[in-house]
Amino acid sequence: MYSKVKDFLTDDDFINYVLGVVPQSASKWEAYFKEHPDELADAEEAKTVLMAPTDVACDFTMAESKELKDRIVSSIKDFSGIL
């Protein structure tokens, strides 16, 4: 179960859902939030961070931010090869 914004920001499946890389995962996440409505606020905040310009402040260190960005870019590249 997710409890923090950072948990969503480090979940590849959630990242791909927010970025629209895997449109089929939308129904999975909608069902998840119906079962866990208390986590929706954290998920919305995580979406805001993912969709925000790169200079938005969050509680990641520089190394964590770079690692997360690299994972996101890698995930997108991996899925573009499949599509």
Side-chain angles (χ1 to χ4, degrees):
M1 182 160 102
Y2 292 91
S3 61
K4 297 180 181 177
V5 173
K6 195 170 184 177
D7 293 333
F8 286 107
L9 290 173
T10 56
D11 183 303
D12 288 336
D13 189 50
F14 180 77
I15 293 167
N16 289 327
Y17 156 66
V18 170
L19 298 178
V21 176
V22 185
Q24 328 54 307
S25 69
S27 61
K28 172 191 163 193
W29 283 101
E30 289 168 8
Y32 179 84
F33 292 124
K34 282 183 182 178
E35 290 181 31
H36 306 281
D38 54 311
E39 297 182 28
L40 194 54
D42 287 337
E44 289 298 325
E45 189 174 339
K47 284 182 187 180
T48 301
V49 171
L50 287 170
M51 302 306 286
T54 57
D55 61 348
V56 169
C58 61
D59 64 347
F60 287 111
T61 65
M62 290 293 282
E64 288 173 323
S65 293
K66 182 179 178 340
E67 180 183 338
L68 181 58
K69 180 180 176 185
D70 291 345
R71 279 185 36 216
I72 292 168
V73 170
S74 177
S75 293
I76 292 170
K77 286 180 183 175
D78 290 345
F79 279 105
S80 342
I82 294 172
L83 302 175

